[in-house]
Structure formats: C-alpha cells, structure tokens
Amino acid sequence: MGAHIETGIDIVRQHLIDPEICIRCNTCEETCPIDAITHDGVNYVVNAQVCNGCIACVPPCPTGAIDNWRNVLRSEAYSIDDQFGWDALPAQHEEINAPVEVPAHNDEAPVASDTVGGSTVAPWSAARPYVQLYTHKAPALATVVGNFRLTDAAAPSDIRHIVLDFGALPFPVLEGQSIGILPPGTSADGRAHHARQYSIASPRDGERPGYNNLSLTVKRVQHEDGNGVCSNYLCDLKKGDVVTVIGPFGNTFLMPNHPDSHLLMICTGTGSAPMRAMTEYRRRRRATGETGKLMLFFGARTRGELPYFGPLMSLPKDFIDTNLAFSRTPGEAKRYVQDVMRERADDVAQLLGDGNTHVYVCGLRGMEDGVMQTLEFIARSHSLDWPALWERLRREGRLHLETY
Ligand code: NAP
C-alpha cells in the first residue's frame, strides 16, 4: 500500500497514478516487480493491497504520472475500482496530510535498477532535456505543416511522417524524447480521450533546420476495440490543422554528444522514429569531424513497409552501417533484426567492447527479449563478460530500451 506511516492513527501513503498525465504506455505495469499495477480500457491503477512502495516503477515512467501519493486512512484507501473511475486525482484530505517522513524506497524490495533491463540514466554527455513544459491543463498547440506517406502506396501499412510546427511557442526537444497528442472527442463513455505518446523523429534543431518544428512517425492502426483513435486522427490531418500537444517527455533515452561516441541502433517499424532523429542529428554535424560510428539494424515486414527506406539507402556507407531485416518478403526466409545481428556478430561485438558505444532498442515489445538474448549471445561468443558488461552499460546510461 505504498509506505506505512507511524502516526498513532492508521495512515498510509497511497501510491496513485495521475490519469490526466498518464499516456498508458504500460511501462509501470511491466516494471512493477510484484504486479501491483493493472489497467482497464481507461486507466492505469495501483492496487493498494499489493503495492509495497518500492518505487521501481517511478524512474522508467516517461511522464511522471506515476509519482503521485496521497495520505489516506488505511480503512479508506482508494480501491482499484475507485481509481478506474477517475478522470483526475482526488485532492489530498487536509486533515490527514500531516507532514511525514516517507522512505525513499522499501529496502526489502528491489529498486528500479534491479528490475529493468535498460539504463535509468542518460549518457554522461547527453544534453539536458526539458520535460513536461506543456500539460493537459496547459497544452501547446501546433500546426500541421506536412503529412507524407512513408510506405509504398500498395503496402498494407499506412505509415506517415507528420510535421508539426510550434510557431513562436518554445518547444525545445532532444532526439529520443517523445510528445503526447490529445486527440479531440470522447470515448464511448463520454470521457475525453487520453494522450497518446509518439517518439520524435527529427533532430533538436527541427525537422527543417532552424525551424521550430518536429516530426513524428505514425502508423495507422485499425482495431475494432477502440485502439487507433489517435493514429487515425493524426494520419488524416491536413496542412494547417491544429493539434493539441503535451510534453516533451523522456530524460534518459537520449543520445550522447561526445564526438567519438558510437550509436548501435536496433529498431522495428515505427520504432525507427528516434533512430531517424539521432541519425539525422549526426548527419547534419558530419562536417564537424565527429569520429563515432553509427550501426543500424532495422526490421520491417517488407521493403515497401520500411519507413524512410529511400532516405536511409541514400546515406553514405562511410557514415552509417545499415542492416535491414525483412520478415515477409515473398519467396524469402523470415528474417528478424536478431538474425542480422548474428550475421554481423564480429562488428557488433567490437562495438559492445568499446566504452563509447551506446545501445538503443525501439519498437515492438516482443523484440526486446530476443534482442537482449542476441546481445548476450554475441558478447559471450566473443569472450566478453556479459553480466558485467550489461551492468556497466546500464549504469553508464549506455543501454536504452523503448518497446511497446
Ligand atoms: P510491425 O510492422 O508489426 O513489425 C515490424 C517488424 O518487426 C516486422 O518485420 C515483424 O515481423 C518484426 N517482429 C515481430 N516480432 C518480432 C520479434 N519478436 N523480434 C524481432 N522482430 C519482430 O511493427 P510496427 O507496427 O511498426 O510496430 C512498431 C512498434 O514500435 C509498435 O509497437 C509501436 O508502438 C512501437 N513504437 C513506436 C514509436 C513511435 O514513435 N512511433 C516509438 C516507440 C515504439 P512479423 O510481423 O512478420 O513477425
């Protein structure tokens, strides 16, 4: 139930998730080591009977929605059914809001760094990000200045490159960060749609250099269960339409800025968005003499469904080492990014053994385990001490996983 407070009356500090800020990315539920977090079609909630206040879920949350606490009488703790019905967090009852000392975490429970596979810190040379400048209560408005289909016209997937301009409104971002989009309208139960999160696909100096704009990589989702509200809204936008935006979010999945840092990027489908942002940032800085290497493993169903195929193929070979994996090319064997990584094991191992290498994995949730197992396989088969290396990568902010 969060933290127990010794006060004479039985007050507990209950852990809650702010439904107004939460972007329903499932990170907290996946991170919680004791399954205290659950969700319905509307809200993510914390079961007070199970939560032990270990805060393993707090650092990975991209928005900070997870970090909310209320002092409540134990007998009046909010049930998960209460929380499923909320549009906003309840106010703190003043009469039980005595100042109390709460442990940073329960010493008997695992802390975040023991429960997540990737880093919970940014690379040492990353620029300092701005986060949550715009919220549900005070969002930013952006104008659509471009909406281009990235996939072949005949391909079943409709993936789009959408450019949003913020005009004179400050909206500073870094590669690897994301924003939340608030789609208009309400769901069947009359509630406003919650925000959906999208990674930024453009570099910090704008989709167009020197402009206050950014781009997103959005796949149209067609599900009958109500999913796809936001992706369809975005994919249908026209030039001049105005979009409501919150964020930016994310303070760890960031790129290093030291010139000899290497990027090992592994992605599938629209998980390519942050890789495009980082690659483009490096491409624009090529003339500065940066010596770091870029190696990319990118998976899609077919060539026609791979976002940014054309631009990617025209990047100089001495700038980026690009490796594609297609899983559904007619007449060819199914290949995942892991298969191609194994084929390039010597080069991957060389990067893994270099203290300047930063690893980024983004895309389907299902790929994460396979990619981590492949990194382990490659490390072990090249006499690298994987447990020690893995721990070092995490500690030094050099292993970043963002999968949904
Ligand atoms: P997709 O087209 O469904 O899949 C891309 C490729 O990944 C396909 O070739 C697929 O193969 C393959 N794949 C499936 N399971 C795999 C596994 N276990 N290991 C390795 N490869 C696997 O992908 P998508 O629809 O674009 O989805 C991308 C994901 O990225 C979404 O879940 C999205 O939420 C997430 N994401 C998006 C953003 C963003 O900003 N847009 C940011 C972060 C993450 P088969 O289907 O043929 O098996």
Side-chain angles (χ1 to χ4, degrees):
M1 160 150 338
H4 178 73
I5 298 164
E6 298 299 337
T7 58
I9 48 173
D10 200 8
I11 295 176
V12 289
R13 192 155 169 79
Q14 186 173 359
H15 187 192
L16 299 169
I17 298 173
D18 187 339
E20 288 193 284
I21 298 177
C22 174
I23 49 177
R24 283 78 175 166
C25 65
N26 206 50
T27 304
C28 55
E29 190 170 324
E30 283 165 12
T31 307
C32 179
I34 53 170
D35 295 331
I37 298 177
T38 184
H39 70 277
D40 66 1
V42 179
N43 283 346
Y44 275 73
V45 300
V46 185
N47 187 336
Q49 309 307 321
V50 181
C51 177
N52 63 7
C54 75
I55 71 159
C57 55
V58 172
C61 171
T63 65
I66 193 78
D67 201 7
N68 280 284
W69 307 81
R70 293 287 184 276
N71 294 347
V72 293
L73 293 175
R74 181 181 292 277
S75 58
E76 294 179 4
Y78 299 107
S79 69
I80 58 172
D81 285 335
D82 293 336
Q83 297 171 54
F84 283 140
W86 288 346
D87 293 321
L89 284 177
Q92 172 65 60
H93 289 301
E94 285 311 318
E95 65 274 20
I96 49 176
N97 195 25
V100 285
E101 204 161 306
V102 178
H105 64 83
N106 177 343
D107 287 340
E108 288 167 18
V111 295
S113 62
D114 293 330
T115 57
V116 293
S119 299
T120 54
V121 290
W124 69 264
S125 61
R128 181 67 70 91
Y130 288 90
V131 292
Q132 294 184 56
L133 294 178
Y134 300 92
T135 61
H136 284 70
K137 291 197 170 75
L141 296 181
T143 305
V144 178
V145 292
N147 181 350
F148 313 98
R149 183 168 169 133
L150 292 167
T151 39
D152 281 356
S157 305
D158 181 9
I159 302 181
R160 288 176 173 268
H161 186 70
I162 296 169
V163 187
L164 302 178
D165 192 281
F166 290 89
L169 197 65
F171 205 96
V173 298
L174 291 173
E175 306 77 15
Q177 285 194 289
S178 57
I179 61 171
I181 300 286
L182 288 167
T186 55
S187 52
D189 61 3
R191 294 172 182 218
H193 290 302
H194 61 77
R196 272 37 174 222
Q197 184 190 17
Y198 295 90
S199 296
I200 296 163
S202 50
R204 66 191 76 178
D205 57 338
E207 169 66 21
R208 180 169 175 181
Y211 280 66
N212 190 17
N213 59 23
L214 58 77
S215 60
L216 307 176
T217 314
V218 181
K219 178 174 174 176
R220 189 188 291 278
V221 178
Q222 277 151 337
H223 285 177
E224 286 162 10
D225 59 3
N227 283 336
V229 166
C230 196
S231 72
N232 280 283
Y233 162 67
L234 288 172
C235 289
D236 289 338
L237 286 171
K238 307 268 179 305
K239 258 181 162 179
D241 286 345
V242 173
V243 179
T244 306
V245 180
I246 58 173
F249 301 119
N251 53 15
T252 57
F253 193 113
L254 300 173
M255 66 185 292
N257 282 319
H258 54 295
D260 51 354
S261 54
H262 312 305
L263 307 182
L264 174 55
M265 301 174 279
I266 305 153
C267 63
T268 53
T270 52
S272 54
M275 314 312 185
R276 189 220 179 230
M278 294 184 196
T279 303
E280 186 60 9
Y281 181 67
R282 279 292 185 90
R283 190 189 65 79
R284 290 181 190 176
R285 292 176 54 79
R286 267 197 105 190
T288 63
E290 294 190 344
T291 55
K293 294 179 189 153
L294 277 70
M295 189 174 202
L296 172 69
F297 293 90
F298 191 170
R301 294 175 186 178
T302 62
R303 178 190 144 147
E305 298 213 23
L306 188 113
Y308 308 112
F309 182 82
L312 195 55
M313 288 299 104
S314 59
L315 291 173
K317 299 283 172 277
D318 62 345
F319 166 64
I320 183 167
D321 183 348
T322 301
N323 302 269
L324 306 181
F326 298 124
S327 59
R328 302 191 198 182
T329 305
E332 290 181 14
K334 189 178 187 87
R335 273 155 61 87
Y336 278 170
V337 282
Q338 298 91 304
D339 302 313
V340 189
M341 289 168 69
R342 280 195 168 83
E343 289 168 11
R344 297 293 312 276
D346 291 350
D347 298 300
V348 173
Q350 198 171 4
L351 279 179
L352 284 178
D354 187 323
N356 278 318
T357 297
H358 297 68
V359 185
Y360 299 86
V361 182
C362 188
L364 294 167
R365 182 72 187 91
M367 76 187 281
E368 190 173 307
D369 286 348
V371 167
M372 291 305 292
Q373 285 159 13
T374 305
L375 289 174
E376 175 173 6
F377 169 81
I378 292 173
R380 288 189 192 278
S381 60
H382 288 76
S383 306
L384 294 168
D385 177 351
W386 173 247
L389 175 59
W390 186 13
E391 178 50 32
R392 195 176 152 209
L393 287 167
R394 291 160 72 194
R395 191 168 15 95
E396 296 179 356
R398 296 195 291 120
L399 175 61
H400 295 281
L401 314 174
E402 193 163 288
T403 57
Y404 304 123

